Every structure is written in structure tokens, then in C-alpha cells.
Amino acid sequence: MSDQLGFDGKVVIITGAGGGLGRQHALLMAARGALVVINDLGGAVDGSGSDKGAAERVVDEIKALGGEAVADTNSVATPAGGKAIVQTALDAYGKVDVLVNNAGILRDKSFHNLTFAEGEPDLLNPVLDVHLKGAFYVTQPAWVVMREQGYGRIISTSSAAGIFGNFGQTNYGAAKMGLVGFTRVLAVEGAKYNIKANAIAPLALTRMTENIMGGLGDKLDPGLVSPLVAFLAHDDCPVSGQVFSVGGGRVAHVFIAETKGFYQHDLTVEAVRDNWATVTDQTGYGVPNNLGEETALFLPFFA
Ligand code: NAI
């Protein structure tokens, strides 16, 4: 018996799968038996334009390799688009087991120069609409199905630009860190329905990053991100609510930790100043997985 991780009969929706990372996730899971919805609007990196051919070409590629897939060219960026994407899966395959929120665009600008007022180029709303609200719009109709069937795997594509910070990406970084909060709450709400939600922060050479990778580019094959996505999409996925950094063959756990902290029942401004070293001392930090576990970190001080 082989211990290869298979996806026989699993229905997988991947948004933005007409190229880059999404295409690689699709090729990998289709090769292992998944029935894949290849969603892609087919626009430019900044989100302008559309090309129905992007999704169709990946479907053709999968079919030529003996796999099964269907194209969907709706935008993730509206509630109607999100519903239509999930409906494509239901019409073609009757259920949804896995959703990979991957569609994305960039409108980088330093915060000082970021425009979004009426009459100005909108560098904010389309970025939030595709990455953050788009995840709501596609995930909720999928969630209804997953909850009903008592099974689901959701992988959302975050970014180190938001988790750790990067110049010129307040819009994108906020949307991407928003997906971490989204993922952590979904993990809490999905636990009793066997719905697991996790997020990845990938690093890969794609059209989105080709101008910024420099010498690292040839180490960052986008196909090296997909094994983690497939593992998180699998029945055997051991975690929920977690974030992983992945690129070029490296996989690492990104976790949100909290120091033990300083406590004084009558806290003053000067006490904060004078005990700053204790506030920030990372010795014995905690890694709470939800709000309840975080609140529990206060309790030893109140005993
Ligand atoms: P990409 O540009 O090749 O892929 C993004 C895909 O999303 C495109 O095919 C695009 O047509 C599609 N898309 C955009 N707006 C859409 C919409 N409204 N509806 C449906 N599809 C839409 O770039 P890449 O690198 O493959 O990006 C995939 C995801 O990974 C994105 O969310 C990106 O922000 C994220 N990411 C990528 C990193 C990298 O190093 N390549 C780093 C961190 C995050």
C-alpha cells in the first residue's frame, strides 16, 4: 500500500488559478485525483481587464494530463461572484471539500502617496475587495456546504508583507493580515464541523513578483509552495487556525506569541516605563490559539 496523500473524489475550488501559484496548486491536486474548479478572472497584476482564456487554459492542461477540472471566470470581488464560483463546483461535482483563497492583485504605493478619494485612482478598495472581502464572498457559500456535510478545508493566501511588514504595501498588507484574523476565527467556528482553516505566506517567482525577486528568483519555483497547500487541504491536515511561511522548498510555522508580561494592580505610566524590559521579555512566552487562551494568560496575575 502506498502512503501517498490522495484527493480521489475531493472537490477543490482554487481562486486565481489561471497562472502563478494557483495553477500549481491545481496541477498537484488534480494529479492526485481531485476534481478542481479553476477560477480566474484573467486580469492584469493590478486587477484591470479580464481574459476568460486564463482559467480555460489550465483546465485544458489538467485534462491533457488525465485530470478533471472545470473553468470558472467569475470575479471573487463581489458577493454574486463568490456565490457563482461555488455554484460552478456544485453544478459540476455536487459538493465542495476544499477552498483555496488565492486570487490576488497589487496596487503598491507608499502610504504617503496612496490614493483612494473620489476622483483619484483607487489604490485601496480593489485590493481589499479581491484579497480580503473576496475571501468572505467565496468562503461563505462554500462554508454553508462544508458545515452541512461536516467536512471542509480552507486555505487562504496571506503574505509576509502584511504579517511582518513591507514598504509600499499598507493596502495589501492590511488585506493579507486581515486574512489571518479571518482564518483564526473560522478555525474556532469550524472546529465542531471538521472544517479546518489555515493560511500560508508564500514566496515564489510569479508574474506578481518577477520584478522584485532579484537573484533569489531561480530558487523560488511556485510549484514548491503547493505541497504545503495540498497537505493543509488533505483529510490528514493536523492543524487549524495556523499560518505557515513557504517558499523554495522551505516550510515554517509562523505563530503569534505573547510575553508573560508585567503586572501591577495599580498600574501607572512610570511603572510601564520602569518595567519595559519585563513587558518585552520573551522568556516563557505563550502561544494562545484563540481569545479564551489569550485571556487565560492574565489569570495567574489575578490569582
Ligand atoms: P498571479 O498574479 O500569477 O496570480 C493571481 C491570480 O489571481 C491571477 O491569475 C489573477 O488573474 C487572479 N485574480 C486577480 N483578481 C481576481 C478576481 N477578482 N477574481 C478571480 N481571480 C482574480 O500571482 P501569484 O504570485 O500566483 O499570487 C497568488 C496569491 O499569492 C496572491 O493572493 C498573492 O497576493 C499571494 N502571494 C504571492 C507571493 C509571491 O511571492 N508570489 C507572496 C505573497 C503572497
Side-chain angles (χ1 to χ4, degrees):
M1 198 180 83
S2 158
D3 69 347
Q4 211 189 44
L5 297 173
F7 287 88
D8 274 348
K10 288 283 192 258
V11 178
V12 178
I13 298 175
I14 305 174
T15 67
L21 290 167
R23 170 177 163 271
Q24 296 291 340
H25 307 336
L27 287 169
L28 177 59
M29 287 190 266
R32 288 168 181 246
L35 316 171
V36 189
V37 176
I38 305 294
N39 159 264
D40 207 298
L41 186 59
V45 173
D46 71 356
S48 60
S50 64
D51 165 19
K52 290 190 190 284
E56 278 153 17
R57 282 190 291 277
V58 176
V59 169
D60 292 345
E61 210 179 339
I62 287 172
K63 288 194 165 159
L65 291 165
E68 173 54 35
V70 64
D72 178 282
T73 56
N74 289 289
S75 172
V76 301
T78 66
K83 270 192 186 161
I85 293 166
V86 173
Q87 195 59 48
T88 296
L90 297 177
D91 290 346
Y93 306 124
K95 60 174 183 160
V96 183
D97 298 303
V98 176
L99 167 63
V100 183
N101 289 312
N102 169 79
I105 63 169
L106 285 180
R107 295 198 179 184
D108 293 357
K109 198 61 105 175
S110 64
F111 186 56
H112 176 71
N113 292 314
L114 193 73
T115 54
F116 42 77
E118 235 167 275
E120 296 177 338
D122 192 347
L123 304 181
L124 174 59
N125 293 292
V127 174
L128 299 179
D129 287 347
V130 174
H131 292 281
L132 184 56
K133 293 191 202 166
F136 281 81
Y137 299 152
V138 187
T139 305
Q140 198 185 51
W143 183 267
V144 171
V145 177
M146 290 174 173
R147 201 167 170 272
E148 186 74 19
Q149 73 193 8
Y151 183 87
R153 300 285 181 266
I154 297 162
I155 298 101
S156 296
T157 311
S158 182
S159 170
I163 299 170
F164 299 107
N166 193 33
F167 191 93
Q169 296 197 299
T170 47
N171 51 2
Y172 179 80
K176 289 305 204 186
M177 196 60 185
L179 287 172
V180 173
F182 178 70
T183 295
R184 293 185 80 94
V185 176
L186 287 186
V188 172
E189 294 192 12
K192 70 174 179 202
Y193 303 102
N194 192 17
I195 302 176
K196 295 185 176 179
N198 291 287
I200 64 161
L203 192 59
L205 182 67
T206 65
R207 67 175 193 169
M208 196 179 263
T209 54
E210 61 193 355
N211 298 322
I212 55 169
M213 282 304 179
L216 268 188
D218 62 352
K219 302 264 189 268
L220 296 172
D221 177 345
L224 291 171
V225 170
S226 305
L228 170 69
V229 172
F231 184 56
L232 297 174
H234 196 266
D235 281 5
D236 290 357
C237 170
V239 291
S240 193
Q242 302 303 308
V243 183
F244 299 90
S245 169
V246 56
R250 172 182 178 264
V251 184
H253 188 193
V254 177
F255 54 93
I256 300 176
E258 185 164 317
T259 62
K260 275 189 179 166
F262 168 75
Y263 172 73
Q264 184 176 303
H265 71 95
D266 56 349
L267 190 67
T268 63
V269 183
E270 291 69 31
V272 173
R273 176 195 62 198
D274 297 343
N275 293 282
W276 198 246
T278 308
V279 170
T280 58
D281 180 5
Q282 295 182 4
T283 311
Y285 60 78
V287 185
N289 276 308
N290 52 54
L291 183 136
E293 288 184 21
E294 201 268 345
T295 307
L297 299 177
F298 288 73
L299 300 182
F301 296 113
F302 298 162

